[in-house]
């Protein structure tokens, strides 16, 4: 049967069974195969209306968004899938492609390796080549790399690694500082007060019997710069930076995940001892520290207990270590992580304000040919946009100018109208996050941990 014939047959089947979400998913795939992406998107949205928790349908929708250059929308969908199923190989592969598309190379590699750790048969040679997933060498920002040496657990073979080698966690000294972070002055000041000053003046803390170091949790909508802020924090205090992905910890062998986590903290302790301070950064920490009440197996509980034990060393053996974690869903963390001495300091990272949006747009456009950009007008029209949304806006405008340049044979500068035209088809990806967060602010904020979100929402009324 031809592709068009398959589409016709599936349309007829859907007409006969309009409430069958699976049939609509098959129709969407057939439509995508013949290049009708807008219609495929509509079918998938209708299927998800019928089956709103279907991870396969959500992943398919994210892929359709990606093929239409709707990167922000695709990231929102796929991160929602991974929040509920962090070891979904299809979602991880899609996440890797999306992260690569927005220039997040390190996170893209983490996602790709995690996908292969779950299902080695999902190897994508073309994607791996673009990621350099098996490469060993200099880091993206020019720093040296140093792998963690992990000894295999006794009485069992070393686990199979689909890349042919164990994944490496890279230690670096970030070159970026707060000066490279557009706007967000209130967030940066909060980080200075809670983190940087104690590490810069440890003698004052010792005088009061306190050690320099600690743990903070950055939370907020996806794409608002939590990871970038963590790197900038390390650069601000000239500390080494150890970035931890999910695949650096999780392992198929019983007990190895806990051992991997301990090795990471041991590396950070060694770095802090030699360099004076170290930032140990856990991205998407809710995948490692989910509420134990939600876990069915004992393996996840053991990993959480190990994590808590390592954090409890902050007041003694973790001198000079700053543990920073980022999450889009702080409400999924086990309550034990927010007790004093652990992640008791929460920093809300909101979407950039108007001043920050202007600075971010200036940074994104600084190396491009421009003609009379009205940054104030653009900032006024992008309320609620994340940093990733703004990058997507610039990317769409640039791609259209490139298409024009191919037709005319000469490049033309970007103008305000080009960005406004691109903006007309975009919406802030943060809306869904705030819709969820509002429920927790209203019904699960007895301890006041989400007061910053409440203040933000009240300010937007």
């Amino acid at each position: 049967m031809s592709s068009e014939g398959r589409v016709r047959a599936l349309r007829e089947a859907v007409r006969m069974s309009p409430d069958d979400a699976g049939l609509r998913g098959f129709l969407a795939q057939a439509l995508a195969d013949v290049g009708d992406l807008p219609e495929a998107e509509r079918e998938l949205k209708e299927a998800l209306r019928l089956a709103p928790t279907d991870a396969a349908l959500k992943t398919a929708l994210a892929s359709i968004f990606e093929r239409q250059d709707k990167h922000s929308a695709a990231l929102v969908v796929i991160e929602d899938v991974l929040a509920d199923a962090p070891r979904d190989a299809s979602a991880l592969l899609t996440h890797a492609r999306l992260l690569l598309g927005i220039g997040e190379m390190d996170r893209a590699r983490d996602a790709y390796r995690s996908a292969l750790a779950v299902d080695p048969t999902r190897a994508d040679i073309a994607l791996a080549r673009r990621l350099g997933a098996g490469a060993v060498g200099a880091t993206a920002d020019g720093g040296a790399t140093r792998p963690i040496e992990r000894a295999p657990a006794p009485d069992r073979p070393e686990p199979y690694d689909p890349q042919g080698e164990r994944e490496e966690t890279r230690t670096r000294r970030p070159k970026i500082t707060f000066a490279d972070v557009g706007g967000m002055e209130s967030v940066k000041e909060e980080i200075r007060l809670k983190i940087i000053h104690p590490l810069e003046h440890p003698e004052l803390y010792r005088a009061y019997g306190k050690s320099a170091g600690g743990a903070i949790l950055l939370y907020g909508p996806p794409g608002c710069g939590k990871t970038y802020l963590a790197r900038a924090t390390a650069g601000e205090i000239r500390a080494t930076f150890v970035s931890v992905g999910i695949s650096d910890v999780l392992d198929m062998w019983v007990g190895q995940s806990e051992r991997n986590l301990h090795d990471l903290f041991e590396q950070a302790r060694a770095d802090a001892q030699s360099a004076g301070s170290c930032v140990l950064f856990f991205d998407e920490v809710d995948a490692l520290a989910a509420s134990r009440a939600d876990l069915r197996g004992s393996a996840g509980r053991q990993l959480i207990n190990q994590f808590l034990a390592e954090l409890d060393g902050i007041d003694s053996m973790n001198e000079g270590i700053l543990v920073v974690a980022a999450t889009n869903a702080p409400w999924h963390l086990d309550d034990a992580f927010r007790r004093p001495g652990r992640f008791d300091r929460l920093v809300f990272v909101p979407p950039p304000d108007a001043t920050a949006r202007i600075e971010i747009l200036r940074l994104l456009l600084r190396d491009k040919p421009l003609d009379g950009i009205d940054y104030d007008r653009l900032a006024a029209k992008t309320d609620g946009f994340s940093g990733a949304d703004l990058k997507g806006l610039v990317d769409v405008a640039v791609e259209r100018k490139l298409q024009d340049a191919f037709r005319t044979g000469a490049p033309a500068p970007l103008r305000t109208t080009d960005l406004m035209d691109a903006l007309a088809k975009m919406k802030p990806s943060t809306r869904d996050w705030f819709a969820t967060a509002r429920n927790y602010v209203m019904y699960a904020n007895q301890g006041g941990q989400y007061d910053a979100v409440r203040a933000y929402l009240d300010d937007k009324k």
Side-chain angles (χ1 to χ4, degrees), residues 83-96:
D84 294 327
R87 292 177 64 78
D88 185 312
S90 295
L92 286 165
L93 278 175
T94 303
H95 198 208

Side-chain angles (χ1 to χ4, degrees), residues 242-302:
V242 181
S243 180
V244 182
I246 297 172
S247 57
D248 289 303
V249 178
L250 297 182
D251 196 286
M252 65 183 290
W253 299 98
V254 175
Q256 185 62 29
S257 296
E258 295 91 295
R259 193 173 292 108
N260 292 343
L261 185 62
H262 176 71
D263 288 345
L264 288 162
F265 273 88
E266 285 297 294
Q267 175 183 325
R269 289 163 188 143
D271 287 345
Q273 188 172 9
S274 61
S277 57
C278 176
V279 174
L280 182 58
F281 176 64
F282 290 88
D283 200 4
E284 299 175 350
V285 71
D286 46 293
L288 302 174
S291 173
R292 283 171 287 189
D294 297 333
L295 298 176
R296 296 179 180 178
S298 62
R301 292 189 178 93
Q302 290 301 321

